[in-house]
Amino acid sequence: KAGVTQTPRYLIKTRGQQVTLSCSPISGHRSVSWYQQTPGQGLQFLFEYFSETQRNKGNFPGRFSGRQFSNSRSEMNVSTLELGDSALYLCASSLASIRDMERYNEQFFGPGTRLTVL
Amino acid sequence: SQKIEQNSEALNIQEGKTATLTCNYTNYSPAYLQWYRQDPGRGPVFLLLIRENEKEKRKERLKVTFDTTLKQSLFHITASQPADSATYLCALERYRGSTLGRLYFGRGTQLTVWP
């Protein structure tokens, strides 16, 4: 089974620009979560989508947004980029099934998109 | 909000010894706790999950304990090998009604196993 894929892997942007990152979850996974990882803050939760609906949201400004499509693929958008947005952006998918407590929220991470804002 | 602390940023041990990593949390009792491994330049990889009503979980050389009274989880790697060198993250989630809540991650402990 193919893993989580993220595109692009690397991105360089300048302040004020916007960016869209893409994530394709594992087939059959309906939940997609996005995280920002920086050396100073660690792994910070951005939001989670389940069946095209945002189910959870972290403490990030409105410049960070996302969506999920009917095939569970997800995109994340950051508008008006700031220098502090430079980070590794990770996408994770999961079955998110309550029936099987052992596996229901195990997160499968993609390789990430390394965003550099100049 | 949930606060998670992992005992130290870095842990260095000799090959063959047992590595013990600590994860402490405050504010809420999690529904369950997970441990992940992350290698440089890669996304985290799931290792183990332990539920709030479980005391201990094992998988090969890995063992996780969960003490909800102390609000602490311990992650052990026995007979450690240089290939175990990586950053280990703990993550927890609490129930939010009937839906799944978000995952809170610790900042990780970088483990180095030297020969």
Side-chain angles (χ1 to χ4, degrees):
Chain A
K1 188 184 271 193
V4 177
T5 58
Q6 291 186 247
T7 56
R9 292 293 312 277
Y10 302 91
L11 207 49
I12 299 175
K13 292 286 188 178
T14 56
R15 280 184 300 174
Q17 288 187 308
Q18 76 163 20
V19 66
T20 298
L21 311 181
S22 182
C23 171
S24 291
I26 291 173
S27 177
H29 286 192
R30 294 163 65 189
S31 168
V32 174
S33 297
W34 287 90
Y35 298 85
Q36 180 196 67
Q37 188 173 37
T38 60
Q41 297 296 320
L43 211 58
Q44 301 285 305
F45 174 81
L46 281 156
F47 28 66
E48 183 220 0
Y49 286 87
F50 182 84
S51 294
E52 302 179 64
T53 300
Q54 188 181 85
R55 188 162 65 175
N56 285 291
K57 189 176 187 303
N59 299 321
F60 277 80
R63 300 185 297 106
F64 292 82
S65 63
R67 58 178 177 169
Q68 186 180 33
F69 302 96
S70 58
N71 62 358
S72 291
R73 191 177 69 84
S74 178
E75 286 182 349
M76 191 194 101
N77 185 275
V78 188
S79 62
T80 319
L81 284 166
E82 300 177 359
L83 295 179
D85 296 334
S86 294
L88 180 67
Y89 289 87
L90 291 160
C91 162
S93 73
S94 74
L95 284 169
S97 165
I98 295 176
R99 286 171 297 180
D100 184 352
M101 289 289 292
E102 287 295 323
R103 299 168 54 209
Y104 73 125
N105 209 23
E106 170 188 339
Q107 303 277 297
F108 293 83
F109 284 84
T113 294
R114 173 73 63 185
L115 172 65
T116 302
V117 182
L118 302 175
Chain B
S1 64
Q2 188 64 264
K3 186 176 180 182
I4 303 168
E5 290 183 349
Q6 296 192 237
N7 57 328
S8 60
E9 289 189 8
L11 180 64
N12 300 309
I13 64 168
Q14 189 177 20
E15 182 177 10
K17 303 290 186 184
T18 296
T20 298
L21 286 66
T22 305
C23 177
N24 294 294
Y25 59 91
T26 59
N27 294 346
Y28 299 109
S29 292
Y32 63 87
L33 192 143
Q34 303 182 19
W35 283 89
Y36 289 80
R37 168 185 172 140
Q38 186 173 23
D39 292 286
R42 294 174 172 263
V45 174
F46 172 81
L47 295 174
L48 279 170
L49 176 155
I50 186 165
R51 289 184 256 178
E52 60 179 340
N53 60 351
E54 295 178 320
K55 296 289 186 185
E56 183 179 299
K57 208 74 168 289
R58 290 175 185 262
K59 179 181 177 183
E60 297 172 353
R61 294 184 297 110
L62 308 180
K63 185 178 85 171
V64 174
T65 62
F66 196 6
D67 189 326
T68 54
T69 302
L70 292 178
K71 296 194 173 184
Q72 181 182 81
S73 175
L74 298 178
F75 178 80
H76 306 272
I77 305 175
T78 58
S80 59
Q81 306 165 359
D84 295 327
S85 298
T87 296
Y88 291 86
L89 304 161
C90 74
L92 57 83
E93 177 180 327
R94 60 186 179 96
Y95 290 114
R96 192 184 72 166
S98 60
T99 63
L100 301 178
R102 50 163 289 185
L103 275 181
Y104 295 83
F105 277 87
R107 294 178 64 170
T109 295
Q110 186 173 341
L111 173 67
T112 302
V113 182
W114 44 279

